[in-house]
Short mmCIF file of all heavy atoms in Angstrom, two decimals:
data_model
loop_
_atom_site.label_atom_id
_atom_site.label_comp_id
_atom_site.label_asym_id
_atom_site.label_seq_id
_atom_site.Cartn_x
_atom_site.Cartn_y
_atom_site.Cartn_z
N THR A 808 98.65 98.74 107.35
CA THR A 808 97.67 98.14 106.45
C THR A 808 96.35 98.90 106.50
O THR A 808 95.77 99.23 105.46
CB THR A 808 97.45 96.66 106.81
OG1 THR A 808 98.71 95.95 106.69
CG2 THR A 808 96.43 96.01 105.86
N VAL A 839 88.82 81.46 99.31
CA VAL A 839 89.61 80.25 99.27
C VAL A 839 91.00 80.53 99.84
O VAL A 839 91.59 81.58 99.59
CB VAL A 839 89.73 79.67 97.83
CG1 VAL A 839 88.39 79.15 97.35
CG2 VAL A 839 90.26 80.71 96.86
N ALA A 844 95.56 81.28 106.65
CA ALA A 844 94.79 82.17 105.79
C ALA A 844 93.33 81.70 105.67
O ALA A 844 92.41 82.52 105.53
CB ALA A 844 95.43 82.29 104.41
N LEU A 885 87.66 85.51 96.35
CA LEU A 885 88.78 86.14 97.03
C LEU A 885 89.77 85.04 97.40
O LEU A 885 89.41 84.10 98.14
CB LEU A 885 88.33 86.88 98.30
CG LEU A 885 87.66 88.22 98.12
CD1 LEU A 885 86.18 88.03 97.83
CD2 LEU A 885 87.83 89.09 99.34
N ALA A 886 90.98 85.14 96.90
CA ALA A 886 92.04 84.19 97.21
C ALA A 886 93.01 84.85 98.16
O ALA A 886 93.57 85.91 97.87
CB ALA A 886 92.76 83.77 95.93
N VAL A 887 93.20 84.24 99.33
CA VAL A 887 94.01 84.83 100.39
C VAL A 887 95.27 83.96 100.60
O VAL A 887 95.15 82.76 100.83
CB VAL A 887 93.22 84.96 101.68
CG1 VAL A 887 94.05 85.66 102.75
CG2 VAL A 887 91.92 85.75 101.44
N SER A 888 96.43 84.60 100.52
CA SER A 888 97.68 83.82 100.66
C SER A 888 98.80 84.77 101.10
O SER A 888 98.95 85.86 100.52
CB SER A 888 98.05 83.18 99.32
OG SER A 888 99.37 82.66 99.33
N GLN A 889 99.57 84.38 102.09
CA GLN A 889 100.72 85.19 102.48
C GLN A 889 101.73 85.26 101.34
O GLN A 889 102.16 86.33 100.95
CB GLN A 889 101.35 84.61 103.75
CG GLN A 889 102.44 85.50 104.35
CD GLN A 889 103.78 85.47 103.66
OE1 GLN A 889 104.41 86.51 103.47
NE2 GLN A 889 104.25 84.31 103.24
N SER A 890 102.12 84.11 100.84
CA SER A 890 103.17 84.06 99.82
C SER A 890 102.69 84.42 98.44
O SER A 890 103.48 84.86 97.61
CB SER A 890 103.79 82.65 99.78
OG SER A 890 102.85 81.72 99.25
N GLY A 891 101.42 84.21 98.17
CA GLY A 891 100.91 84.38 96.81
C GLY A 891 101.34 83.28 95.86
O GLY A 891 101.13 83.38 94.66
N GLU A 892 101.92 82.22 96.41
CA GLU A 892 102.43 81.12 95.58
C GLU A 892 101.83 79.78 95.99
O GLU A 892 102.15 78.77 95.37
CB GLU A 892 103.96 81.03 95.65
CG GLU A 892 104.68 82.28 95.22
CD GLU A 892 104.57 82.57 93.72
OE1 GLU A 892 103.99 81.74 92.99
OE2 GLU A 892 105.01 83.64 93.30
N THR A 893 100.98 79.73 97.00
CA THR A 893 100.43 78.47 97.48
C THR A 893 99.69 77.79 96.32
O THR A 893 98.70 78.32 95.82
CB THR A 893 99.48 78.71 98.66
OG1 THR A 893 100.19 79.45 99.67
CG2 THR A 893 98.99 77.41 99.23
N THR A 896 95.83 77.16 96.53
CA THR A 896 95.07 78.41 96.43
C THR A 896 95.10 78.93 95.00
O THR A 896 94.09 79.42 94.46
CB THR A 896 95.61 79.44 97.41
OG1 THR A 896 95.63 78.89 98.72
CG2 THR A 896 94.77 80.71 97.41
N LEU A 897 96.25 78.83 94.35
CA LEU A 897 96.36 79.25 92.96
C LEU A 897 95.43 78.44 92.06
O LEU A 897 94.75 78.99 91.19
CB LEU A 897 97.81 79.10 92.50
CG LEU A 897 98.11 79.44 91.04
CD1 LEU A 897 97.74 80.87 90.70
CD2 LEU A 897 99.58 79.17 90.72
N LEU A 900 91.91 79.49 92.55
CA LEU A 900 91.70 80.75 91.84
C LEU A 900 91.45 80.49 90.34
O LEU A 900 90.53 81.07 89.73
CB LEU A 900 92.92 81.65 92.03
CG LEU A 900 92.95 82.95 91.27
CD1 LEU A 900 92.13 84.01 91.99
CD2 LEU A 900 94.38 83.45 91.08
N ILE A 911 89.86 88.36 93.19
CA ILE A 911 90.58 89.36 93.97
C ILE A 911 91.59 88.61 94.83
O ILE A 911 91.22 87.70 95.59
CB ILE A 911 89.62 90.16 94.85
CG1 ILE A 911 88.56 90.87 94.01
CG2 ILE A 911 90.40 91.17 95.71
CD1 ILE A 911 87.44 91.50 94.82
N ALA A 912 92.83 89.00 94.74
CA ALA A 912 93.90 88.39 95.55
C ALA A 912 94.17 89.28 96.75
O ALA A 912 94.22 90.51 96.64
CB ALA A 912 95.16 88.22 94.74
N ILE A 913 94.35 88.67 97.90
CA ILE A 913 94.85 89.34 99.10
C ILE A 913 96.14 88.65 99.47
O ILE A 913 96.13 87.53 99.95
CB ILE A 913 93.82 89.30 100.24
CG1 ILE A 913 92.52 90.02 99.81
CG2 ILE A 913 94.39 89.94 101.50
CD1 ILE A 913 91.41 89.91 100.82
N VAL A 914 97.27 89.32 99.22
CA VAL A 914 98.58 88.69 99.35
C VAL A 914 99.53 89.62 100.10
O VAL A 914 99.34 90.83 100.10
CB VAL A 914 99.17 88.31 97.97
CG1 VAL A 914 98.37 87.21 97.32
CG2 VAL A 914 99.24 89.53 97.07
N ASN A 915 100.55 89.03 100.67
CA ASN A 915 101.58 89.80 101.36
C ASN A 915 102.81 89.97 100.52
O ASN A 915 103.47 91.02 100.56
CB ASN A 915 101.95 89.11 102.69
CG ASN A 915 102.87 89.97 103.55
OD1 ASN A 915 102.59 91.15 103.76
ND2 ASN A 915 103.96 89.40 104.03
N SER A 916 103.16 88.97 99.73
CA SER A 916 104.37 89.03 98.89
C SER A 916 104.04 89.68 97.57
O SER A 916 103.15 89.24 96.85
CB SER A 916 104.91 87.61 98.65
OG SER A 916 105.28 87.02 99.88
N ILE A 917 104.78 90.72 97.25
CA ILE A 917 104.54 91.42 95.99
C ILE A 917 105.01 90.57 94.81
O ILE A 917 105.86 89.70 94.95
CB ILE A 917 105.25 92.79 95.98
CG1 ILE A 917 106.75 92.61 96.16
CG2 ILE A 917 104.69 93.69 97.05
CD1 ILE A 917 107.53 93.90 96.05
N GLU A 918 104.39 90.80 93.65
CA GLU A 918 104.78 90.19 92.39
C GLU A 918 104.59 88.68 92.39
O GLU A 918 105.26 87.96 91.67
CB GLU A 918 106.24 90.54 92.06
CG GLU A 918 106.50 92.03 91.99
CD GLU A 918 107.97 92.39 92.02
OE1 GLU A 918 108.79 91.54 92.42
OE2 GLU A 918 108.32 93.52 91.65
N SER A 919 103.66 88.17 93.18
CA SER A 919 103.45 86.73 93.26
C SER A 919 102.59 86.24 92.12
O SER A 919 101.92 87.03 91.43
CB SER A 919 102.79 86.37 94.60
OG SER A 919 101.48 86.92 94.65
N THR A 920 102.54 84.93 91.95
CA THR A 920 101.73 84.37 90.87
C THR A 920 100.24 84.61 91.09
O THR A 920 99.52 84.95 90.15
CB THR A 920 102.00 82.85 90.77
OG1 THR A 920 103.40 82.62 90.62
CG2 THR A 920 101.25 82.24 89.60
N ILE A 921 99.78 84.46 92.32
CA ILE A 921 98.35 84.68 92.58
C ILE A 921 97.98 86.14 92.30
O ILE A 921 96.91 86.40 91.71
CB ILE A 921 98.01 84.29 94.04
CG1 ILE A 921 98.05 82.75 94.17
CG2 ILE A 921 96.65 84.83 94.47
CD1 ILE A 921 97.85 82.24 95.58
N GLU A 922 98.83 87.06 92.65
CA GLU A 922 98.57 88.47 92.32
C GLU A 922 98.51 88.66 90.81
O GLU A 922 97.59 89.32 90.29
CB GLU A 922 99.64 89.36 92.93
CG GLU A 922 99.50 90.83 92.55
CD GLU A 922 100.57 91.72 93.14
OE1 GLU A 922 101.29 91.26 94.03
OE2 GLU A 922 100.66 92.89 92.71
N ARG A 923 99.47 88.12 90.09
CA ARG A 923 99.54 88.34 88.65
C ARG A 923 98.36 87.71 87.92
O ARG A 923 97.93 88.23 86.87
CB ARG A 923 100.86 87.81 88.08
CG ARG A 923 102.10 88.49 88.65
CD ARG A 923 103.33 88.23 87.80
NE ARG A 923 103.57 86.81 87.59
CZ ARG A 923 104.27 86.03 88.41
NH1 ARG A 923 104.77 86.54 89.53
NH2 ARG A 923 104.48 84.76 88.12
N GLU A 924 97.83 86.61 88.43
CA GLU A 924 96.74 85.93 87.73
C GLU A 924 95.37 86.38 88.17
O GLU A 924 94.36 85.94 87.59
CB GLU A 924 96.90 84.42 87.91
CG GLU A 924 98.14 83.86 87.21
CD GLU A 924 98.08 82.34 87.02
OE1 GLU A 924 96.98 81.77 87.12
OE2 GLU A 924 99.15 81.77 86.74
N SER A 925 95.27 87.24 89.18
CA SER A 925 93.97 87.75 89.64
C SER A 925 93.55 88.99 88.86
O SER A 925 94.40 89.72 88.33
CB SER A 925 94.01 88.06 91.13
OG SER A 925 94.26 86.91 91.89
N HIS A 927 92.19 91.55 90.28
CA HIS A 927 92.55 92.66 91.17
C HIS A 927 93.35 92.10 92.34
O HIS A 927 93.22 90.92 92.68
CB HIS A 927 91.32 93.38 91.69
CG HIS A 927 90.32 93.76 90.64
ND1 HIS A 927 90.54 94.75 89.72
CD2 HIS A 927 89.10 93.23 90.34
CE1 HIS A 927 89.50 94.84 88.91
NE2 HIS A 927 88.61 93.92 89.26
N ALA A 928 94.16 92.97 92.95
CA ALA A 928 94.95 92.50 94.09
C ALA A 928 95.02 93.59 95.14
O ALA A 928 95.07 94.79 94.83
CB ALA A 928 96.37 92.11 93.65
N LEU A 929 95.01 93.16 96.40
CA LEU A 929 95.23 94.03 97.57
C LEU A 929 96.36 93.42 98.37
O LEU A 929 96.47 92.20 98.50
CB LEU A 929 93.96 94.13 98.41
CG LEU A 929 92.74 94.78 97.73
CD1 LEU A 929 91.50 94.56 98.59
CD2 LEU A 929 92.99 96.28 97.53
N HIS A 930 97.17 94.31 98.95
CA HIS A 930 98.34 93.84 99.71
C HIS A 930 98.16 94.03 101.20
O HIS A 930 97.67 95.07 101.64
CB HIS A 930 99.61 94.58 99.25
CG HIS A 930 100.02 94.24 97.85
ND1 HIS A 930 99.84 95.12 96.79
CD2 HIS A 930 100.57 93.13 97.34
CE1 HIS A 930 100.30 94.55 95.69
NE2 HIS A 930 100.73 93.35 95.98
N THR A 931 98.57 93.02 101.94
CA THR A 931 98.74 93.19 103.38
C THR A 931 100.15 93.70 103.58
O THR A 931 101.11 93.18 103.00
CB THR A 931 98.58 91.84 104.10
OG1 THR A 931 99.51 90.89 103.57
CG2 THR A 931 97.18 91.30 103.91
N LEU A 932 100.31 94.74 104.36
CA LEU A 932 101.63 95.37 104.51
C LEU A 932 102.33 94.84 105.74
O LEU A 932 102.78 95.58 106.61
CB LEU A 932 101.44 96.88 104.59
CG LEU A 932 100.74 97.52 103.40
CD1 LEU A 932 100.73 99.04 103.52
CD2 LEU A 932 101.37 97.11 102.07
N ALA A 933 102.43 93.51 105.80
CA ALA A 933 103.08 92.88 106.95
C ALA A 933 104.59 92.92 106.85
O ALA A 933 105.28 92.72 107.85
CB ALA A 933 102.61 91.42 107.09
N GLY A 934 105.14 93.14 105.64
CA GLY A 934 106.57 93.01 105.46
C GLY A 934 106.96 91.55 105.44
O GLY A 934 106.13 90.65 105.60
N ALA A 944 101.06 88.12 109.32
CA ALA A 944 100.34 87.97 108.05
C ALA A 944 98.86 87.72 108.32
O ALA A 944 97.98 88.24 107.59
CB ALA A 944 100.95 86.84 107.23
N THR A 947 97.10 91.01 109.51
CA THR A 947 96.95 91.98 108.41
C THR A 947 95.96 91.48 107.37
O THR A 947 95.27 92.28 106.73
CB THR A 947 98.31 92.32 107.77
OG1 THR A 947 99.00 91.12 107.40
CG2 THR A 947 99.17 93.12 108.73
N GLN A 948 95.87 90.18 107.19
CA GLN A 948 94.82 89.63 106.31
C GLN A 948 93.44 89.99 106.89
O GLN A 948 92.54 90.43 106.16
CB GLN A 948 94.96 88.12 106.17
CG GLN A 948 96.10 87.68 105.29
CD GLN A 948 96.46 86.21 105.46
OE1 GLN A 948 95.92 85.53 106.33
NE2 GLN A 948 97.38 85.71 104.65
N VAL A 951 92.63 93.68 106.17
CA VAL A 951 92.15 93.94 104.80
C VAL A 951 90.71 93.44 104.64
O VAL A 951 89.85 94.13 104.09
CB VAL A 951 93.08 93.28 103.78
CG1 VAL A 951 92.48 93.38 102.37
CG2 VAL A 951 94.45 93.94 103.80
N LEU A 952 90.45 92.24 105.12
CA LEU A 952 89.11 91.66 104.96
C LEU A 952 88.06 92.47 105.73
O LEU A 952 86.93 92.64 105.25
CB LEU A 952 89.12 90.20 105.44
CG LEU A 952 89.91 89.25 104.51
CD1 LEU A 952 90.23 87.96 105.24
CD2 LEU A 952 89.11 88.96 103.24
#
Side-chain angles (χ1 to χ4, degrees):
T808 301
V839 292
L885 284 84
V887 183
S888 169
Q889 189 283 137
S890 69
E892 302 292 354
T893 306
T896 306
L897 176 61
L900 175 81
I911 301 170
I913 299 175
V914 293
N915 188 49
S916 298
I917 60 176
E918 302 166 343
S919 66
T920 305
I921 289 175
E922 176 180 347
R923 298 197 305 274
E924 293 197 16
S925 296
H927 311 288
L929 295 169
H930 292 106
T931 57
L932 302 185
T947 53
Q948 287 164 354
V951 172
L952 290 163

